[in-house]
Amino acid sequence: MTIGIGLLGLGTVGAGVAAILASPEGRHPLVAELELKRVAVRDLSRPRPLNLAPELLSTCAEAVIDDPAVDIVVEVMGGLEPARSLILRAIAAGKPVVTANKAVIARYGEEIAAAAAAQGVYVLIEAAVGGGIPIIEPLKQSLGGNRIQRVSGIINGTTNYILSRMADEGAAYADVLADAQRLGYAEADPAADVQGGDAADKIAILAGLAYGGPVPRAGIASEGIDRLDARDVAYAAQLGFVVKLVATAERLGAGTEAPGEPVQLDVRVHPTLLPKQHPLAGVHGVNNAILVEGDPVGQVMFYGPGAGAGPTASAVVADILNIAGIRQVGGAEAGLDPLLAASSWRRCELVDGSTSRHRNYVRLHTRDQAGVIGRIGTCFGAAGVSIQSIVQFEAREGDGNTDQSGEGPSQEDPSAGPCAEIVVITHEVQESHFRQALAAIENLSEVTTVAACLRTL
Ligand code: NAP
Ligand code: HSE
């Protein structure tokens, strides 16, 4: 029996899905049962990478959803609206939905899950996180018996591609970003990638699944790579680290909350220095990796291509097959995945990051004077921050004006004598103590700028 597919979007991901459906040979036999019935696009005149009968295409997404020949709606158009409303329309019509839209799921997942539960239809989201990596189903199903302590990972392909090429080739940020866009890795507005918002959407989704309840997306602290200075990537390499955009969701406490007690989580996204031997440090290019730490499983790492047409379409089609398989055994109205049903949700609360503990990398511009390193050390010591290493690099012309944003600190006064660039790596310390030390350092007359400050694992 043929299963009709309605595709909302025929861009990078949509075209990848259509290509798989058009060539079922050698794949799971159910792929041959899937038939692309209607496709919604924004611009009918845009050239497409594959030949589709023109009558399949429409600019009316509602007509695609409402078409009786469409059994499963696949939303791959992106953006918040009309994507959210279209997903809800499909659910209201009793049609299961597959979506790759992490922006919508991170913000409206609760509303969508409730609507789906009320209608008894599936909404599957494997492609929303990690591109081709199976991570949603493993977190929902295979690891369900664990107390998850931490989920951390590299979950934005665009920024990992940019950072890898900056580190390996010394490539310029803007050039590599343009390549990532050309390759179909970046979001329609790449600000979501480089400013950390896309990774924050994804970690919100992963944390919701790992800890069993919706995580407030608006409360997730995120910082991207758009203000990262290439010299910090270079200094990090000299000190034995790589810089990656890491997203983390960490549970506070032992994970033995009483029934009704909320799970306290520290969820964040920021550029992070990883020691070269860390499992995430070897993840290069567009690849993603997600490290799940739980009791009793220990550490499990998921790795693979995190963006692009083929990998993402692989995840979308897997979800379609999941639903198609359930329909074939007569379970079409089986309802939303029971693990996502609101009745079993736990309350997740985000904590203030000032109590979190981690190492830090700080780059300072100072006057090159006797005693300056000692005074910096005294400020750290007074706040209870222990220093792991302190290195002086030769200051170069233009120091202090080189960050990506172009909003670097003002030029230093050349009449004040020679300048130095000092990099400090601290031992693990509570964030509030580190901030206290930094405030004192900023007030030292020899310190002209705190030029960079990055977390370190
Ligand atoms: P894309 O290349 O920009 O494609 C978007 C498609 O949606 C285009 O075909 C566009 O039509 C169509 N569209 C947009 N607004 C529409 C509207 N109002 N009505 C009808 N059609 C509309 O985007 P993408 O990279 O494929 O991403 C799609 C979704 O997948 C996003 O949610 C993204 O976050 C997610 N995702 C992407 C990747 C990736 O590697 N690219 C990976 C994982 C998840 P036109 O072609 O006529 O402009
Ligand atoms: N823009 C996203 C990324 C696509 O680069 O990871 C995959 O979700």
Side-chain angles (χ1 to χ4, degrees), residues 25-393:
E25 312 78 26
R27 309 188 200 279
H28 190 287
L30 255 184
V31 178
E33 308 292 317
L34 308 175
E35 193 177 329
L36 192 55
K37 294 288 191 185
R38 300 287 296 272
V39 182
V41 293
R42 203 167 20 199
D43 177 1
L44 288 174
S45 66
R46 196 177 146 187
R48 306 287 163 187
L50 69 172
N51 280 328
L52 287 182
E55 61 273 19
L56 288 189
L57 298 185
S58 163
T59 53
C60 181
E62 290 81 1
V64 171
I65 294 169
D66 298 345
D67 190 326
V70 167
D71 300 305
I72 300 175
V73 173
V74 178
E75 186 278 303
V76 283
M77 63 169 48
L80 295 179
E81 287 292 354
R84 169 188 154 274
S85 300
L86 293 169
I87 290 171
L88 291 171
R89 184 184 185 106
I91 293 168
K95 298 190 180 185
V97 175
V98 172
T99 177
N101 196 328
K102 55 271 171 146
V104 163
I105 296 300
R107 288 165 186 76
Y108 304 110
E110 218 175 324
E111 177 189 26
I112 289 169
Q119 275 293 333
V121 296
Y122 283 88
V123 175
L124 298 186
I125 60 168
E126 187 59 71
V129 184
I133 305 173
I135 179 63
I136 299 291
E137 288 301 315
L139 267 183
K140 270 173 20 189
Q141 310 281 342
S142 329
L143 294 169
N146 285 274
R147 274 190 205 108
I148 305 292
Q149 201 54 44
R150 188 187 295 118
V151 179
S152 55
I154 293 168
I155 49 177
N156 183 270
T158 300
T159 47
N160 204 49
Y161 176 79
I162 293 172
L163 289 173
S164 300
R165 288 198 48 200
M166 280 172 74
D168 298 346
E169 306 163 24
Y173 173 88
D175 294 348
V176 199
L177 172 58
D179 283 349
Q181 289 178 283
R182 188 178 42 77
L183 290 163
Y185 302 157
E187 294 303 302
D189 177 2
D193 296 293
V194 298
Q195 293 176 1
D198 178 78
D201 290 346
K202 291 167 175 169
I203 196 69
I205 294 171
L206 294 181
L209 295 171
Y211 300 107
V215 169
R217 167 64 183 86
I220 297 178
S222 67
E223 187 188 326
I225 65 161
D226 52 330
R227 298 175 67 89
L228 187 65
D229 193 314
R231 93 174 48 182
D232 292 310
V233 177
Y235 286 167
Q238 289 182 47
L239 296 169
F241 295 91
V242 292
V243 182
K244 297 286 186 189
L245 187 68
V246 175
T248 312
E250 182 161 11
R251 181 186 217 148
L252 274 70
T256 49
E257 300 86 5
E261 194 186 338
V263 181
Q264 305 265 312
L265 297 175
D266 184 14
V267 184
R268 54 183 60 254
V269 174
H270 41 72
T272 305
L273 267 72
L274 301 172
K276 283 185 177 156
Q277 64 278 14
H278 189 281
L280 295 176
V283 177
H284 297 301
V286 73
N287 288 308
N288 282 191
I290 300 116
L291 188 62
V292 182
E293 296 168 59
D295 170 33
V297 73
Q299 289 194 336
V300 183
M301 186 150 120
F302 300 83
Y303 170 84
T312 312
S314 156
V316 169
V317 174
D319 278 349
I320 299 174
L321 289 173
N322 230 329
I323 294 167
I326 292 163
R327 288 178 71 95
Q328 288 231 329
V329 295
E333 312 307 329
L336 185 72
D337 198 322
L339 288 179
L340 289 185
S343 56
S344 61
W345 279 343
R346 230 192 255 126
R347 200 150 50 87
C348 292
E349 281 180 3
L350 299 180
V351 297
D352 166 17
S354 64
T355 56
S356 72
R357 293 182 63 82
H358 49 88
R359 293 198 287 168
N360 300 277
Y361 162 104
V362 194
R363 178 163 56 88
L364 305 166
H365 288 156
T366 71
R367 302 282 166 233
D368 197 2
Q369 292 170 358
V372 63
I373 287 185
R375 276 189 282 284
I376 290 167
T378 303
C379 292
F380 277 122
V385 178
S386 164
I387 292 175
Q388 181 181 310
S389 65
I390 185 159
V391 184
Q392 180 166 337
F393 289 94

